[in-house]
Amino acid sequence: MTSKSLVLAIILLAALFTGCDRSSPDGVPVVAVSIAPQKYFVDKIARNLVSVLVMVPPGVSEHTYEPRPHQMTSLSRASLYFSIGIEFEHAWLERLSGTYPQLRVVHTDSGIAKRSIEAPIYIGDRSGVVGEEGLDPHIWLSPELVKTQATTITAALCTAFPLHATEFRANDSLFMLEIDSLQNEIKTLFAQKNGLCPFMVFHPAWGYFAHEFGLRQVAIEVEGKEPSAHTLGSIFDYARTGHISTIFVQPQFSRQTAEIIAHEIGARVAVADPLAADWAANLLTFTKNLVQQ
Ligand code: ZN
């Protein structure tokens, strides 16, 4: 029996025994999300009217995560699943819907035109190169795209829990204003610095953020893999001439290659976590780190 079929067997058994009590121990309805920043969005809109279950645990990459059996069984209590378009969802959500017919999957990436992950500039003319799954899934790191996600989340919450629709809509309006002021704060910080340099990051999670604020992301990872020795040489050359003084790593990936590059070119290594739970504060911290480059 493969690990996936074992997990499914456990889910089926759990589904038999958990009945249909779709609420948390304190009686609040449960909704599920894939990653921690989405909990931030749902919490802003639903406040304490729902309890949010996050699937990808701290320290785990959003791209290699596989659900644990106890997490899958805990979904028996959830009535909504807010997907965001990352890898594990493709394999798991369809099976889950079969096991838990009450679980309505809401695709919060709907209405968002995804971009390709650009080939790193130091690779030269390889215009056909795209990374990971081809399209960049990191839509939660652009405040403008989070507004679209918030609208989708609000509509789904209103449909699922119509008694609280007025509160959800009011909270959503406040969240939109918060995002507006976050965008203004980020723009003001960038405006203080004339001529922003490209920023170098191990895993290219910040493409939509870069696009929104007119920055250039340069990834170390190529198509989701560590760079070859040859590519590493090109990175050294580029980083020296491209005025790179900081290399960003994320806690869920090894920082070894970033450390080697930083050492070689005399740059510092800083952490930028695409999965941080305090989404707004995290974007501001990242902005401040970029301005200080
Ligand atoms: Zn990623």
Side-chain angles (χ1 to χ4, degrees):
M1 197 180 246
T2 66
S3 69
K4 273 183 187 170
S5 52
L6 180 63
V7 169
L8 275 176
I10 292 168
I11 294 166
L12 282 167
L13 278 173
L16 285 174
F17 290 108
T18 49
C20 55
D21 176 23
R22 286 183 290 286
S23 60
S24 65
D26 52 7
V28 176
V30 177
V31 303
V33 297
S34 290
I35 54 171
Q38 290 180 282
K39 178 178 183 331
Y40 184 97
F41 311 150
V42 177
D43 281 345
K44 283 285 171 184
I45 298 159
R47 305 278 170 98
N48 51 6
L49 295 170
V50 303
S51 168
V52 183
L53 194 67
V54 181
M55 296 299 279
V56 179
V60 175
S61 160
E62 67 274 27
H63 304 291
T64 55
Y65 164 77
E66 288 266 358
R68 307 289 297 270
H70 75 272
Q71 291 184 297
M72 301 304 265
T73 53
S74 65
L75 285 175
S76 66
R77 295 187 285 112
S79 45
L80 290 175
Y81 191 107
F82 292 110
S83 70
I84 193 150
I86 54 177
E87 287 86 341
F88 86 91
E89 294 171 354
H90 305 309
W92 286 98
L93 288 183
E94 204 174 317
R95 297 181 210 180
L96 269 178
S97 304
T99 313
Y100 301 132
Q102 93 290 345
L103 186 67
R104 195 176 146 236
V105 177
V106 178
H107 300 280
T108 66
D109 55 346
S110 74
I112 292 175
K114 292 193 188 164
R115 298 160 52 83
S116 297
I117 294 184
E118 283 174 41
I121 190 168
Y122 52 81
I123 285 192
D125 184 22
R126 284 180 65 193
S127 45
V129 175
V130 290
E132 293 182 303
E133 298 298 298
L135 293 177
D136 187 345
H138 306 92
I139 52 169
W140 63 92
L141 294 170
S142 153
E144 196 57 36
L145 297 184
V146 169
K147 287 180 181 172
T148 307
Q149 293 161 61
T151 302
T152 304
I153 291 168
T154 302
L157 287 170
C158 289
T159 305
F161 313 108
L163 283 177
H164 299 299
T166 311
E167 285 150 284
F168 295 144
R169 290 199 188 99
N171 294 341
D172 180 48
S173 300
L174 286 175
F175 186 35
M176 294 291 178
L177 292 175
E178 281 182 44
I179 297 176
D180 283 341
S181 70
L182 174 69
Q183 287 171 307
N184 287 333
E185 204 171 342
I186 291 172
K187 283 178 195 159
T188 305
L189 282 164
F190 285 141
Q192 288 166 7
K193 183 157 172 156
N194 283 331
L196 282 163
C197 295
F199 65 93
M200 188 168 268
V201 59
F202 180 76
H203 173 66
W206 300 88
Y208 294 101
F209 180 89
H211 181 69
E212 177 169 345
F213 298 104
L215 314 168
R216 175 151 214 176
Q217 165 180 262
V218 180
I220 293 170
E221 209 183 51
V222 183
E223 297 175 70
K225 297 183 195 77
E226 292 274 345
S228 65
H230 175 75
T231 307
L232 209 49
S234 308
I235 295 175
F236 292 156
D237 294 342
Y238 172 80
R240 283 196 196 95
T241 55
H243 310 291
I244 300 289
S245 58
T246 309
I247 296 175
F248 292 95
V249 291
Q250 80 178 73
Q252 302 82 9
F253 287 72
S254 161
R255 57 193 282 159
Q256 194 182 13
T257 308
E259 300 273 11
I260 291 168
I261 297 166
H263 181 75
E264 181 71 22
I265 66 167
R268 71 184 175 114
V269 173
V271 172
D273 185 1
L275 300 180
D278 192 345
W279 174 81
N282 185 48
L283 292 194
L284 271 182
T285 303
F286 183 51
T287 302
K288 286 172 186 163
N289 262 321
L290 287 172
V291 170
Q292 280 167 15
Q293 265 203 110

